[in-house]
Amino acid sequence: PALELIVDRSPPRLSVVPRGGGVFEVRAEDEHSNLRRLEVLADGETRFSLRPTDGVCDSRRETFRVVLPGRPGQPAGRG
């Protein structure tokens, strides 16, 4: 039997859902591969990484929570 090899160079699909009060839910999904991380880049450098809401980035679909900086009682950029 032949072995099928899939080379996945396509980026994951991202959707952003506003939740109010400067909070956003980011949903990431990849058709072929498990996601390993979500990084926020600026000027080509990683500014910070986000942790998925379930705590482990280990599947093809992950959800992340983002809180915009400047919201009282919330860490900048993380949820």
Side-chain angles (χ1 to χ4, degrees), residues 10-62:
S10 61
R13 289 185 304 278
L14 295 176
S15 63
V16 179
V17 179
R19 294 296 183 199
V23 178
F24 295 85
E25 182 178 278
V26 179
R27 297 176 188 161
E29 182 175 355
D30 193 280
E31 189 173 330
H32 297 288
S33 304
N34 286 352
L35 300 168
R36 294 180 35 206
R37 66 184 164 271
L38 178 63
E39 297 176 331
V40 176
L41 301 159
D43 299 323
E45 296 182 18
T46 301
R47 299 300 178 176
F48 56 89
S49 297
L50 295 171
R51 186 181 332 207
T53 55
D54 69 0
V56 181
C57 202
D58 63 352
S59 65
R60 293 187 340 206
R61 279 188 221 145
E62 295 289 350

